Amino acid sequence: EGQVASGDRQGGVPRKRSRVSRIPSQGGSTPSDRGSETGDRGRNDYVPTVDVPRAPAAVAPPSREQKRVCAWLVAALGVEFTHLDTPCKGWVIKVIGDGNEKKAEVVPQTADCGDITTVYTLPAYDLTPCACERGDEAMVVSGAKQGSRARVLGLEGSMAYVRLEPTGSRKGSGRSALAFGHVAGTSQVPMDKTLLAKYSPQWAGAIRDGRLQVKPKEAPAPPLPAEGAEADGSTADAEAAAASGDVAAP
């Protein structure tokens, strides 16, 4: 096998013969036999099939708009939403979750401060800031001054004129900060009114102090007696007393 036959020369260059394996495979056939059985494919063309697990699909991150909408949602902020195809307004009392799963617990604006008898749990993206009116206390929900408190002094077209509250001057629901701003001569700040949302210091204080409770249901009034029932009852009592001998019968 190590010698080269004269007929195997091509262009004067000797060509080696390939050696055939003498060790049989498990199926009883050599690799050359398997190559002949599969047609033109040789033994080096065999590729085993391997099941490769697929990676789970990546969750798309929230868009810039979604992040902006979620950022402004805080407790005691006024929001607008739709319930049973009816436009509603309410106060946020709690924010739950984060990112795409963020939700808010909202009470109607008509409820008394601290009354959580009716609470709606709504996705954050179903809520919009409640528009302000003149004289309302508000919060800046977007822009460079996001999170700042203010009082709306006036509205003109798409603009609102507000007096910003000094940062850190008030913790609670008092009016000291706004009074301080008035005395200090704080100028009016023009601002796009879409950057503002109504805010409730009263609800903020109730939430902070834990003064949230379900309003007890009023007990129903007892039914009024029917006409003539009182007279019939008096007659029956008199007859029973006469039968017992306590009162002499007429």
Side-chain angles (χ1 to χ4, degrees), residues 48-74:
T49 303
V50 180
D51 294 332
V52 179
R54 295 184 178 180
V59 179
S63 63
R64 181 179 301 179
E65 180 67 16
Q66 290 174 333
K67 291 181 180 179
R68 188 191 70 81
V69 171
C70 291
W72 59 265
L73 199 59
V74 295

Side-chain angles (χ1 to χ4, degrees), residues 52-129:
V52 179
R54 295 184 178 180
V59 179
S63 63
R64 181 179 301 179
E65 180 67 16
Q66 290 174 333
K67 291 181 180 179
R68 188 191 70 81
V69 171
C70 291
W72 59 265
L73 199 59
V74 295
L77 198 69
V79 293
E80 298 180 3
F81 60 96
T82 301
H83 179 65
L84 300 178
D85 297 331
T86 302
C88 303
K89 296 182 179 181
W91 302 111
V92 177
I93 60 172
K94 187 176 181 180
V95 180
I96 308 170
D98 196 4
N100 292 332
E101 302 298 328
K102 181 176 285 188
K103 297 181 180 180
E105 292 183 355
V106 182
V107 296
Q109 285 191 2
T110 55
D112 295 335
C113 184
D115 181 12
I116 56 172
T117 304
T118 303
V119 179
Y120 305 102
T121 302
L122 305 168
Y125 306 128
D126 290 347
L127 304 174
T128 55

